[in-house]
Amino acid sequence: MKNKFIIILCLIFSQIYGQFNFYYNFNSTGNRVCLISASIQESPIQVIINLHDSALNTTQNYTIKRRPINGLNSDWITLASNIPPSTSTWIDTNVSLGDAFEYQVSRNSGTDIATGYVTACIKYDQTDYKGRMILVIDNSFQSSLSNEILQLKRDLTYEGWFVEELYVQRATTWETEASILTVKNAITTLYNNAPATDKPKHLFLLGHIPIARSGLNAISPDDHDSGKGARGADCYYADIDGVFTDNQTFNPGNIDVNAINLPNDFKWDQDYIPSQLEMAFGRVDFADISYTSLTEIQLISNYLNRLHNYRTVTDGFYMGNKTAFRFGYNNSNDGSYRSLIPISGINNVDEYSGNLPFPQWVQQNGPYQIFMQNQTTPNATEWETYGMNATIYSSDQSYWGFWDGAQNNDRQGFIRYLLSKSTKCLGLLWTTTGINIFHQPGMGETMGWSCKRIMDHNLSNNLYSKPSQIYDTPDYWGRTHFQYNGDPTLRLNQVIPPNNVLQTFSSGEHLTWTASTDSDIIGYHIYKAFTEFGPFIRLTSAPITSLNYVDPDFTNVPKFYLVKAVKLQITGSGSYLNPSIGVLAVSNLAISTTEKNIFNIYPNPSNSIITISTPNEIIEKTIYNLQGKLIKSIQNNSKEIDIKDLSDGIYLLKITTENGIINTQKMIKN
C-alpha cells in the first residue's frame, strides 16, 4: 500500500508540475500568459483549444475569442466566457475544412489579464502562389555573387514567390546618407506599380543597403540612454505610406555620433512606426564584421548557401519540429510561452537547464526550429566552438538593438556577427521590447510576417492584448528600431522535395519524378509558368498521389514546370498542407530558348506602348495570358507594341526573329 500511495502521489505531482518539458510556475511567471495550443478533429470537424495551464489554475475563469487570420482588434468575436478554471479543453464546432482562425485565450486574475494566442487551422492550404516580394541587392555583389543571387532568386520562385529584383547603390558609410531616398523611391515604385490584388508582401535587404535611421528621445530599450536617438530603422523601407519627418533635434552629447539626430540630416524623427507596415522585412548585411578571416563576400556567400541547403533539406540541414528556450527575464519568457507552444506543440518545447554553455546544450539536444535565450549575452567563442543548431535564435539583451554599425565590441554589430557565423542559424530576433508574440509559423506563415504582425501592434490598434510589465508597456510598442535579421520569407517546417523530375513530350508535356522520402506526404502539386521566374500557376486542384502528370498543352511556347511534395503538417496550431520547395522541369523548347539571347522590354509595367530591345529583326510578336491562351498575334517588324486595348494584368510576350530565335518575357499592363 505504501508503494502504491507513492506511485499515485508521483503521478499527481507529474500531472500538475511535470506535464511539460519545461518549468512553469503559475503564481509568479504565469500570471501574464495562458499556455495554449490547438488540435483538430476531422469527423466531426472541430478545433480543440488546449488549455495547458488548467492544472495550476484554481480561481481564474477563461474567455475565448476568435478572429480571421491577420484580423484587427475590432474583429474579435467572443465565443465563450466564464469557462471554469479546471477546464483543459474547449471545442469550436463552427469551423470547416481548410479554415484558419486566430484565437485569444485570456483569464482575469483581478489585477492582470493573462493572454495566449494560437492560429488554429484544419488542413489549411499553404500550397498556392505566395505573392510578390522585393529583393533589394547591394549592387557591388552583382558580379561577385551572381551565382548565389541567381540561386536565391530561383529558390524563392520555386517556393511560390514572384521576385521583384532591385539593385541599388551600396552604402558608403554606417552614417545616414541621401541615398536612402533613392532606395525608398525605387522600392515604392515597385510596390505601387504592382497589381492592386498582388502587392509585394516581403522585403529582403541583401548586402550593405543604405542605413535608414529614426528616433529621438523616447524611452530606450532596458532604460539604457545610449539606445536613444536615431537607431537603425529598416521599417522605413517597408512602410510605403507612412509619413517620416526630419525637422527635430536630439543631441544630448556623449552618445554615438550616428544616433545624433538633426534637422535635414536624412534621419527621421519618429520613435514609433507611423502606419501599418505594407511589407514584412529582413536584412542580411555583413559589412565591417570583425574577428573573422573571411571577406564580406565570403560571409554572404556562405549564408546564401546555408539558406539554399535549408530550403532543399540537404543532408544535415533538416531541423526537425522542436523548439527550446532558456528561462530568463519575464517578458522574454512570456514570448517563449506564447509563441513556441503553438509552433511546435507543448510536448516539443524544451527548457535549457544545467551549466553547459547554451550553444553546447543546443548542439546536444537539438536541432531546434527556434531557440530563445532569455537572459544571457551570447559568447562569440562558444558560437565558434559549438555553432547554433537552431534555425531561429532570439535573445533579449539590449545589445540587440545596435545592429546598425561596424562591429567593434560585443554590442555594436554583434547580432550581424552571430548571423554571419557558419552555423544552422538563419534568422535572429530581439524579444525584450519587440517581438514577443510570433505564433503564426505554426500554421505555415513566414517568420517575417509573424514579426510584422507584432511590429504593427500599438496603443491605437491594440492588435494583441498584453499585460503591462517592465520593458513591455505601450512606450515600447510599435517602435521604429524593431528589426528582423535574416531572410524574412523563411518558413519553419521543412518538407523533403521529390527527386529526379523529368519531362518528355508525349501527348502533351509528360512529367515523372521519384517520391519524396519525407513522412506524411499526401501527394504532389504541379505548377507551370512560361518564364523561368514565373509566376507559377498551380495546375492540380488537389495533391495527386501518382508519380507522373500529363499537361495536354500543345502551344509552341517555352514551358517551365515545378513538382512539389505536399505534407500534412501537424503542429501546435492544428494541421496545414505544407509544400516542399519545387523541383524544376522544363520543356525542350524552354531549354533551347534559354540558351539564346533574351530580349528586353520597356517600360514594364506600361499602360500604352511597349518597346522591344533586341539587335535582331523581329518577324512576329505574340501575346499570351498566363494560362497559355493566345491573346493577339502581330506579324510585322516593328519593335513597338500598343497594349492599350489589353486588360490590366500579367501577360507573356513571345517574339520570333529572322534567325529563328524564339524568346518569351513577362509583360505587365497596368
Side-chain angles (χ1 to χ4, degrees):
M1 286 295 294
K2 182 177 179 181
N3 290 338
K4 184 176 181 180
F5 174 77
I6 292 173
I7 292 173
I8 292 173
L9 185 62
C10 289
L11 287 173
I12 294 173
F13 183 85
S14 175
Q15 288 174 351
I16 296 176
Y17 297 104
Q19 57 182 321
F20 319 132
N21 297 324
F22 57 85
Y23 177 74
Y24 178 76
N25 186 325
F26 175 85
N27 293 316
S28 62
T29 62
N31 263 335
R32 296 173 306 279
V33 182
C34 293
L35 304 187
I36 65 170
S37 67
S39 50
I40 57 99
Q41 181 176 293
E42 292 187 36
S43 183
I45 298 175
Q46 57 189 27
V47 168
I48 303 163
I49 302 297
N50 303 300
L51 308 173
H52 296 293
D53 53 1
S54 59
L56 299 173
N57 183 8
T58 58
T59 62
Q60 301 173 14
N61 290 339
Y62 291 100
T63 297
I64 297 180
K65 298 180 180 181
R66 189 181 85 176
R67 68 181 175 188
I69 292 296
N70 298 323
L72 303 175
N73 184 45
S74 58
D75 295 328
W76 288 116
I77 296 175
T78 300
L79 301 180
S81 58
N82 296 318
I83 300 173
S86 60
T87 304
S88 59
T89 59
W90 183 87
I91 296 175
D92 185 2
T93 59
N94 186 25
V95 292
S96 301
L97 201 65
D99 280 349
F101 296 101
E102 189 169 31
Y103 292 82
Q104 179 200 76
V105 174
S106 61
R107 47 179 168 76
N108 193 333
S109 65
T111 58
D112 238 339
I113 298 178
T115 59
Y117 295 90
V118 64
T119 47
C121 43
I122 311 173
K123 287 189 173 179
Y124 185 64
D125 194 349
Q126 289 279 20
T127 65
D128 216 342
Y129 173 59
K130 298 188 181 304
R132 291 171 182 264
M133 64 157 297
I134 299 176
L135 176 61
V136 184
I137 307 169
D138 171 348
N139 65 5
S140 67
F141 300 132
Q142 191 162 0
S143 298
S144 58
L145 290 174
S146 59
N147 291 335
E148 290 87 345
I149 291 171
L150 177 61
Q151 184 65 70
L152 172 63
K153 187 177 178 182
R154 283 173 172 161
D155 286 350
L156 291 167
T157 302
Y158 302 167
E159 261 203 344
W161 297 99
F162 182 72
V163 182
E164 299 272 18
E165 198 173 22
L166 176 64
Y167 282 92
V168 300
Q169 194 70 35
R170 177 181 174 84
T172 60
T173 176
W174 287 100
E175 180 61 285
T176 303
E177 48 195 302
S179 58
I180 63 169
L181 300 179
T182 304
V183 176
K184 177 65 176 286
N185 288 338
I187 291 171
T188 300
T189 298
L190 281 178
Y191 186 91
N192 290 337
N193 285 342
T197 57
D198 190 16
K199 294 296 185 184
K201 297 178 181 178
H202 287 64
L203 178 68
F204 187 173
L205 306 173
L206 180 62
H208 198 34
I209 308 301
I211 307 299
R213 296 181 182 277
S214 193
L216 294 167
N217 195 29
I219 187 171
S220 62
D222 294 356
D223 290 327
H224 296 168
D225 283 351
S226 59
K228 290 185 175 183
R231 307 305 319 183
D234 280 341
C235 64
Y236 167 72
Y237 292 129
D239 189 357
I240 298 299
D241 58 5
V243 178
F244 287 80
T245 59
D246 183 17
N247 52 37
Q248 298 189 50
T249 299
F250 177 73
N251 187 11
N254 196 29
I255 61 170
D256 182 87
V257 64
N258 291 337
I260 296 172
N261 199 339
L262 304 174
N264 303 314
D265 62 353
F266 304 106
K267 298 179 186 177
W268 311 117
D269 304 324
Q270 281 61 43
D271 282 297
Y272 298 90
I273 301 172
S275 67
Q276 182 169 309
L277 299 174
E278 275 66 43
M279 294 176 283
F281 65 90
R283 175 186 287 252
V284 175
D285 185 347
F286 298 144
D288 300 318
I289 295 295
S290 305
Y291 316 129
T292 177
S293 60
L294 300 180
T295 66
E296 180 184 359
I297 291 175
Q298 290 171 320
L299 293 174
I300 291 185
S301 175
N302 289 346
Y303 177 87
L304 294 179
N305 286 327
R306 287 187 282 133
L307 198 59
H308 174 68
N309 290 336
Y310 174 84
R311 282 197 162 97
T312 55
V313 202
T314 302
D315 286 347
F317 277 82
Y318 178 68
M319 301 304 290
N321 60 358
K322 298 194 302 179
T323 58
F325 70 99
R326 182 188 190 278
F327 192 85
Y329 297 127
N330 284 341
N331 44 358
S332 294
N333 292 335
D334 291 353
S336 297
Y337 294 142
R338 287 196 185 102
S339 304
L340 300 186
I341 296 169
I343 289 173
S344 58
I346 191 83
N347 294 320
N348 285 324
V349 180
D350 293 343
E351 181 183 353
Y352 161 78
S353 59
N355 298 316
L356 292 176
F358 66 80
Q360 183 179 5
W361 182 88
V362 170
Q363 181 195 61
Q364 293 178 357
N365 293 276
Y368 290 110
Q369 294 176 322
I370 299 175
F371 178 69
M372 298 181 68
Q373 202 302 105
N374 292 341
Q375 186 167 353
T376 304
T377 302
N379 180 288
T381 301
E382 293 173 358
W383 277 62
E384 285 279 1
T385 304
Y386 303 110
M388 177 42 59
N389 199 18
T391 306
I392 303 294
Y393 173 83
S394 85
S395 183
D396 66 357
Q397 293 288 332
S398 56
Y399 73 88
W400 224 241
F402 296 88
W403 64 268
D404 55 349
Q407 183 199 350
N408 56 20
N409 50 37
D410 62 354
R411 183 175 70 170
Q412 192 76 33
F414 192 58
I415 185 172
R416 298 185 302 105
Y417 168 76
L418 295 178
L419 188 62
S420 75
K421 305 311 297 177
S422 293
T423 72
K424 301 296 178 59
C425 182
L426 297 170
L428 296 104
L429 306 177
W430 184 25
T431 51
T432 297
T433 61
I435 304 164
N436 58 8
I437 300 178
F438 54 96
H439 50 284
Q440 293 91 341
M443 46 83 74
E445 194 49 85
T446 66
M447 284 302 303
W449 194 259
S450 302
C451 295
K452 174 193 177 300
R453 285 290 288 172
I454 194 61
M455 289 178 183
D456 284 336
H457 169 75
N458 56 49
L459 188 59
S460 298
N461 61 34
N462 200 28
L463 288 180
Y464 295 100
S465 296
K466 298 192 295 180
S468 178
Q469 60 175 299
I470 186 171
Y471 306 133
D472 196 9
T473 65
D475 292 321
Y476 296 100
W477 299 347
R479 296 292 292 273
T480 51
H481 66 257
F482 287 178
Q483 182 77 9
Y484 171 78
N485 288 270
D487 176 358
T489 69
L490 205 65
R491 298 166 66 244
L492 291 182
N493 292 305
Q494 301 161 283
V495 179
I496 299 173
N499 293 302
N500 304 317
V501 178
L502 301 174
Q503 182 278 337
T504 57
F505 188 82
S506 175
S507 300
E509 302 287 355
H510 190 193
L511 304 176
T512 60
W513 59 91
T514 303
S516 165
T517 58
D518 213 328
S519 60
D520 299 320
I521 298 297
I522 61 173
Y524 301 86
H525 269 315
I526 314 301
Y527 305 76
K528 179 169 72 173
F530 295 93
T531 63
E532 182 182 3
F533 295 105
F536 280 83
I537 306 300
R538 197 177 74 190
L539 300 179
T540 42
S541 58
I544 60 174
T545 56
S546 61
L547 300 179
N548 61 83
Y549 179 84
V550 177
D551 177 22
D553 185 347
F554 293 93
T555 57
N556 187 30
V557 295
K559 291 181 279 289
F560 298 80
Y561 294 91
L562 294 176
V563 180
K564 298 184 182 183
V566 180
K567 180 173 184 173
L568 181 61
Q569 193 76 53
I570 307 297
T571 71
S573 296
S575 68
Y576 68 94
L577 303 186
N578 187 17
S580 72
I581 192 170
V583 179
L584 184 71
V586 296
S587 66
N588 291 331
L589 181 59
I591 293 173
S592 64
T593 59
T594 53
E595 294 173 350
K596 300 175 182 178
N597 293 329
I598 302 294
F599 67 92
N600 292 314
I601 54 179
Y602 63 90
N604 191 21
S606 173
N607 60 9
S608 56
I609 302 297
I610 289 284
T611 299
I612 301 170
S613 174
T614 175
N616 303 306
E617 183 174 344
I618 299 171
I619 61 174
E620 183 181 23
K621 301 172 285 290
T622 47
I623 299 175
Y624 298 84
N625 65 17
L626 289 182
Q627 286 70 48
K629 179 182 178 181
L630 177 65
I631 303 300
K632 67 163 59 176
S633 176
I634 307 166
Q635 295 182 348
N636 59 38
N637 60 4
S638 173
K639 293 185 178 180
E640 291 188 346
I641 307 175
D642 189 341
I643 62 171
K644 288 195 291 289
D645 60 328
L646 298 181
S647 301
D648 289 356
I650 302 174
Y651 297 87
L652 300 164
L653 171 62
K654 184 182 81 170
I655 69 167
T656 303
T657 64
E658 59 180 345
N659 55 8
I661 293 179
I662 302 174
N663 275 321
T664 304
Q665 285 275 31
K666 174 178 65 70
M667 178 181 73
I668 301 174
K669 163 70 187 305
N670 66 2

